[in-house]
Amino acid sequence: MSNLSPNLAEELVAAETGARAHDGLTGKVIAAIAVTWSLFQLWYASPLPFLVARYIPVLNDTEARAIHLAFAFLLAYVRFPALKRSPRDRVPLLDWIFGIAGAVSAAYLFVFNDALASRPGLPNMADLVTAGIGLVLLLEATRRTLGPPLTIMALIFLAYVFFGNMAPDLIAWKGASFSRAMSHLWITTEGVFGIALGVSTSFVFLFVLFGALLDRAGAGHYFIQVAFSLLGHMRGGPAKAAVLASGMTGLVSGSSIANTVTTGTFTIPLMKRVGFSGEKAGAVEVAASVNGQIMPPVMGAAAFLMVEYVGISYLEVITHAFLPAVISYIALIYIVHLEALKSGMEGLPRGQAPLTGISRFVRLGVTVSSFLIVAGAWYYGILAVQSLLGASAPYALALGFFLFYVATLAFAARHPDLPPEDPNASIVETPRISDVGRTGLHFILPIGVLVWCLMVERLSPGLAAFWATTAIAFILITQKAVLNALRGGPQLVVDLKSGLGDFVAGLELGAKNMVAIAIATAAAGIIVGAVSLTGVGQVLTELVEILSGGNLLLMLGLVAILSIVLGMGLPTTANYIVVSALMAGVVVDLGAQNGLVVPLIAVHLFVFYFGIMADVTPPVGLASFAAAAISRADPIKTGVAAFSYSLRTVVLPFLFIFNTKLLLIGIEGPVDLALTVLGAVTAVLVFAAATQGYFVTRNKLWEGAALLLIAFTLFRPQYWVDMVVPPFETVPYVEAAPAIEAVPAGGDLRLTATGETLEGDMETRTVLLPLGEPAPLADRLEHAGLILRSEGARAFVDDVVFGGPAAEAGIDFDWEVVSIELPSDQPNAYIMYVPAGALLIFVWMVQRRRRATPKP
């Protein structure tokens, strides 16, 4: 049994909300600052600034980022004490001074934005003093809010910026002056005020605020109860419900630790009640909560950063991330089922007599059909209203929203409310889904607004989150009043005041939850700025290349390990910024040198998956520590068990690097999509059975090996076909003109070039370049960023379009274009599903026979 502090979970999640609790005037001042920050972010994300631009200037990106960080600075110092012995019931004067000084340092870029823009790269003394003070205070704010790991990493990179000439020869550089470093890291948008803080300002805050208001309205409790009502009666039901509940809350959560504590407080004791050990109960919650960080639409805010770093739309990011996240959750539920089977567990008793036979399928069919009919009616109804009413459609849609909202509350008013949220309450039976479901149907509305704005209207994530936040704010303010009025309650004004108080409290909570994220993105900007200033990314590429010896799989394994190490102790947002800045380029560069050409989104998802595994993996594994604090179990054993449950998340990145159809890239029609999804789901279930040592019964060694072989074949059927027929046919460039011109619109070209790098090394690189619309050869190549010249029978790069695809892929001036690769005429890879399926049936029959035969 562990000697963990009973308050460890609260200590770990303090990074999300702050460790001080304030009453009196100080508490009111801090609450007012937090609420003001939320209102500012709502204003900035809304269309309102453009409507009143004649009277109030619209903020540019740098100005908004400066104000955003100024609020975060102030709240970081007054919410988080400096030391364990620092007072928790009051804010020392020194913390107010530091907080105000930090806010002034950040706001400096807002106040003097025009002056700074007029002298780029030429900071004066005031600029340098402000930048120096700001960086020091940012490091201290990072230590307070996020602990030592990110602070230490930022200090290491700062030391490298100034003293790079003293580093070992492999990574040495000349070092930067104080003026150059401060200008790059603070004054420009290359460092602290770069893309990461911009995403935090424009997108992340609104999604965190949306989640805080949704939870304040009671949606979090509702989701947990829905999960229990659906799955609580099954074998290991509370654990399956924990997975589902963590998935639903993880949709908008920005922290695996906060997700673990929020849902784990309810789910871990229930898992222990039905037979899970403390370690396994905590491990299930950790695996489910960390999985929430890879689940669209938020992905711990990484989705919004990927939009900027990868250069594709938000819709494309969440589309590519969707299938791996879903099959990973399906596998985790199946792992829980296998654990329950191995231990002979049962679920919680049902709150009603179970349906049997055909009745169960009829009920399921009616439920699914009703959902599809309602969703279809809304979809086509909204489109019809927009088509018929044009500019007046928003008013009609707002009226429809209100009527549907009142109708759902009228339905809920005829039935009792859910029992209040109480982690200590004893749940002795599974609640009925009909009793639970009807109490919170109105929570679907703001989520529906978010999905509609993102997926159909294609609004920016920030604007979509603004309208969704507006919807949940309206619900939060009015739901008590409307519900009680429908029940005949006379306290309309009192209920509205209570709802308004809940809304203000939600604004306060949303801002406090954002402090750690805003500080993290700013501090991670120090690392990103140091990488761009020093060029250390190229050094890491060379280091991994030396260690891997040119072996592609070993290179990916080293990148995976380094991503886990770099992610230790970091919140999800900072985690992704760091691993993408340091590791994504390594995969792209070394992959291109070894003929591995994959979309950039696959590379970023690869490093992101392994970065967040640091929350699981001992010895750091903060989510494992948080879960162990709740389950009163050993944190290392909890982390080891959670890692074993997360093996499916570990193996997925390697698979979608080589089979991008798992990211829904290169799908050719509905049949291809169906076969890809079917193969992926079956494969991840088979892989779970293999790694857990249990399928129909306990696996023998050969059965486990067979299941792994089946899983690999279903995940990557192309591998076996490629062994027989190579996937690409190499064509010399001098013969390739007709083939390049024949590439269809929107197609890509696999091109191999060789030349000398800036370091004087000869390098051969295979890249994937977009060709755009059909056009003459020179035009299509220019669209890809290349202008070539011919020298006899050879072609050389005469110019590389700045910022174009070829330049981004690492092709340089005067390189020789050697060849292109055209797809070969291969058999359909899905033919490999047949032998894999036959082997799976054979293993199932053998195990079924063995289970049915009693041991002598």
Side-chain angles (χ1 to χ4, degrees):
M1 181 63 65
S2 169
N3 294 320
L4 290 172
S5 163
N7 297 319
L8 180 57
E10 288 77 6
E11 292 172 7
L12 288 171
V13 83
E16 308 299 320
T17 57
R20 283 183 174 135
H22 302 285
D23 297 317
L25 180 61
T26 300
K28 292 178 180 178
V29 170
I30 294 172
I33 295 170
V35 170
T36 303
W37 189 13
S38 290
L39 292 174
F40 163 74
Q41 294 290 163
L42 283 169
W43 167 267
Y44 178 65
S46 75
L48 294 177
F50 300 96
L51 300 178
V52 297
R54 291 177 57 188
Y55 311 103
I56 303 176
V58 177
L59 297 176
N60 63 34
D61 289 344
T62 302
E63 292 170 330
R65 294 172 191 180
I67 296 173
H68 179 81
L69 185 57
F71 276 112
F73 256 132
L74 188 54
L75 287 174
Y77 277 99
V78 299
R79 289 285 298 161
F80 294 85
L83 303 168
K84 288 187 176 180
R85 63 176 181 269
S86 299
R88 285 342 193 230
D89 57 345
R90 61 183 178 83
V91 181
L93 177 61
L94 191 60
D95 284 358
W96 281 109
I97 293 173
F98 284 163
I100 293 172
V104 169
S105 299
Y108 184 86
L109 272 75
F110 166 71
V111 176
F112 298 102
N113 183 62
D114 293 338
L116 292 170
S118 67
R119 43 185 165 82
L122 298 171
N124 59 27
M125 184 57 67
D127 299 340
L128 295 177
V129 170
T130 302
I133 293 173
L135 272 179
V136 172
L137 291 175
L138 176 58
L139 291 169
E140 169 59 11
T142 305
R143 184 194 67 81
R144 292 189 182 204
T145 57
L146 301 161
L150 184 57
T151 310
I152 293 172
M153 190 176 294
L155 284 170
I156 290 172
F157 276 86
L158 275 177
Y160 182 64
V161 166
F162 291 113
F163 308 109
N165 59 324
M166 301 171 61
D169 290 342
L170 181 63
I171 61 173
W173 86 297
K174 63 180 181 179
S177 65
F178 182 79
S179 174
R180 185 184 176 196
M182 291 303 102
S183 176
H184 189 84
L185 296 177
W186 194 267
I187 305 301
T188 72
T189 56
E190 295 292 325
V192 171
F193 294 91
I195 290 175
L197 188 64
V199 170
S200 176
T201 305
S202 302
F203 306 147
V204 179
F205 192 105
L206 267 293
F207 276 87
V208 171
L209 180 59
F210 174 72
L213 294 175
L214 201 63
D215 189 60
R216 185 74 186 187
H221 181 47
Y222 174 72
F223 290 155
I224 292 174
Q225 293 297 315
V226 166
F228 272 102
S229 65
L230 288 172
L231 303 176
H233 64 281
M234 298 180 178
R235 286 182 180 271
K240 294 175 181 175
V243 174
L244 184 59
S246 294
M248 289 190 289
T249 55
L251 291 176
V252 292
S253 172
S255 166
S256 54
I257 300 169
N259 200 358
T260 299
V261 173
T262 302
T263 57
T265 303
F266 294 89
T267 59
I268 289 175
L270 285 171
M271 283 189 266
K272 293 174 68 176
R273 187 179 305 167
V274 297
F276 282 87
S277 66
E279 286 82 8
K280 289 185 177 180
V284 169
E285 181 58 49
V286 169
S289 297
V290 172
N291 234 99
Q293 305 306 287
I294 65 174
M295 190 72 185
V298 175
M299 299 165 61
F304 315 119
L305 289 161
M306 286 181 189
V307 171
E308 303 296 330
Y309 289 163
V310 181
I312 60 177
S313 71
Y314 173 77
L315 183 59
E316 289 176 290
V317 169
I318 61 175
T319 299
H320 298 322
F322 179 74
L323 182 58
V326 169
I327 63 175
S328 189
Y329 263 114
I330 292 173
L332 184 56
I333 291 177
Y334 184 57
I335 287 171
V336 169
H337 180 71
L338 294 176
E339 287 284 3
L341 284 176
K342 285 191 285 187
S343 304
M345 299 179 195
E346 299 293 336
L348 295 173
R350 287 179 180 268
Q352 61 180 351
L355 297 174
T356 58
I358 197 171
S359 300
R360 180 181 300 176
F361 294 101
V362 171
R363 173 72 65 86
L364 178 62
V366 170
T367 302
V368 174
S369 300
S370 300
F371 175 79
L372 292 175
I373 290 171
V374 172
W378 270 103
Y379 177 77
Y380 290 107
I382 292 174
L383 292 180
V385 168
Q386 291 176 326
S387 177
L388 292 173
L389 298 183
S392 301
Y395 303 103
L397 293 177
L399 177 61
F401 174 94
F402 177 75
L403 293 176
F404 186 81
Y405 168 58
V406 173
T408 56
L409 286 184
F411 183 58
R414 298 199 298 268
H415 308 282
D417 292 332
L418 289 177
E421 189 172 356
D422 181 5
N424 299 314
S426 177
I427 300 179
V428 297
E429 64 179 18
T430 304
R432 299 198 311 174
I433 183 60
S434 56
D435 292 340
V436 173
R438 57 195 172 204
T439 62
L441 290 175
H442 55 293
F443 293 132
I444 298 173
L445 282 168
I447 297 174
V449 169
L450 178 63
V451 172
W452 179 270
C453 291
L454 287 173
M455 306 292 287
V456 181
E457 298 294 338
R458 304 291 182 92
L459 300 181
S460 70
L463 190 55
F466 167 77
W467 290 116
T469 303
T470 302
I472 188 58
F474 174 77
I475 290 173
L476 182 57
I477 293 170
T478 61
Q479 65 176 349
K480 289 181 184 176
V482 175
L483 192 61
N484 287 336
L486 291 169
R487 288 172 173 166
Q491 304 296 324
L492 181 63
V493 175
V494 173
D495 288 336
L496 283 174
K497 286 184 177 179
S498 176
L500 187 60
D502 287 337
F503 172 62
V504 173
L507 292 177
E508 179 185 351
L509 179 61
K512 289 178 178 177
N513 286 348
M514 263 304 298
V515 174
I517 297 175
I519 294 296
T521 55
I526 296 175
I527 298 170
V528 174
V531 170
S532 63
L533 180 61
T534 63
V536 71
Q538 183 60 39
V539 174
L540 284 172
T541 300
E542 294 175 1
L543 179 62
V544 172
E545 183 179 16
I546 292 170
L547 293 176
S548 65
N551 184 284
L552 195 58
L553 281 177
L554 185 56
M555 178 270 289
L556 291 173
L558 287 171
V559 169
I561 293 170
L562 286 171
S563 296
I564 293 175
V565 172
L566 289 169
M568 286 183 176
L570 304 187
T572 303
T573 311
N575 189 321
Y576 170 65
I577 296 167
V578 171
V579 296
S580 63
L582 295 175
M583 292 287 101
V586 174
V587 179
V588 171
D589 289 343
L590 295 184
Q593 294 175 33
N594 289 274
L596 175 66
V597 182
V598 292
L600 191 56
I601 182 64
V603 175
H604 278 255
L605 285 172
F606 180 91
V607 298
F608 175 57
Y609 268 53
F610 283 105
I612 63 170
M613 285 304 297
D615 280 343
V616 176
T617 311
V620 178
L622 296 183
S624 297
F625 274 82
I630 299 170
S631 65
R632 300 292 184 265
D634 186 278
I636 301 299
K637 291 181 178 178
T638 300
V640 171
F643 185 80
S644 73
Y645 293 159
S646 300
L647 284 175
R648 84 257 182 246
T649 308
V650 171
V651 76
L652 273 173
F654 285 96
L655 293 166
F656 62 59
I657 280 285
F658 293 101
N659 180 14
T660 54
K661 285 190 176 183
L662 294 174
L663 301 178
L664 304 183
I665 296 173
I667 297 293
E668 300 173 355
V671 174
D672 194 11
L673 175 61
L675 289 172
T676 298
V677 173
L678 175 64
V681 172
T682 306
V684 79
L685 296 179
V686 173
F687 180 80
T691 54
Q692 294 304 306
Y694 197 100
F695 185 31
V696 179
T697 186
R698 294 188 184 277
N699 299 335
K700 292 184 177 180
L701 185 61
W702 74 267
E703 292 168 342
L707 291 174
L708 287 174
L709 177 63
I710 293 165
F712 176 78
T713 302
L714 294 175
F715 269 128
R716 197 186 170 205
Q718 191 69 44
Y719 175 81
W720 304 107
V721 177
D722 290 347
M723 291 184 67
V724 178
V725 181
F728 295 101
E729 176 186 356
T730 301
V731 177
Y733 179 75
V734 293
E735 304 172 11
I740 296 174
E741 292 181 343
V743 173
D748 297 316
L749 173 69
R750 289 175 63 96
L751 179 145
T752 300
T754 184
E756 187 175 354
T757 66
L758 293 175
E759 291 76 23
D761 300 322
M762 292 302 297
E763 182 177 301
T764 298
R765 182 177 289 257
T766 301
V767 298
L768 194 68
L769 301 177
L771 292 179
E773 298 296 321
L777 176 63
D779 293 338
R780 301 206 80 175
L781 290 176
E782 187 170 354
H783 181 275
L786 285 176
I787 298 174
L788 305 184
R789 71 177 187 275
S790 297
E791 295 184 6
R794 303 169 69 184
F796 293 87
V797 177
D798 197 44
D799 196 9
V800 181
V801 177
F802 179 75
E808 293 292 328
I811 303 296
D812 209 344
F813 170 74
D814 214 30
W815 280 31
E816 181 180 1
V817 178
V818 179
S819 61
I820 68 167
E821 295 182 350
L822 301 176
S824 301
D825 187 12
Q826 290 183 307
N828 193 315
Y830 292 122
I831 196 173
M832 296 306 303
Y833 281 12
V834 176
L839 182 57
L840 179 61
I841 293 172
F842 175 72
V843 173
W844 176 79
M845 292 175 63
V846 170
Q847 290 204 357
R848 182 179 175 84
R849 186 180 300 114
R850 187 165 73 247
R851 190 182 68 172
T853 304
K855 292 183 179 180

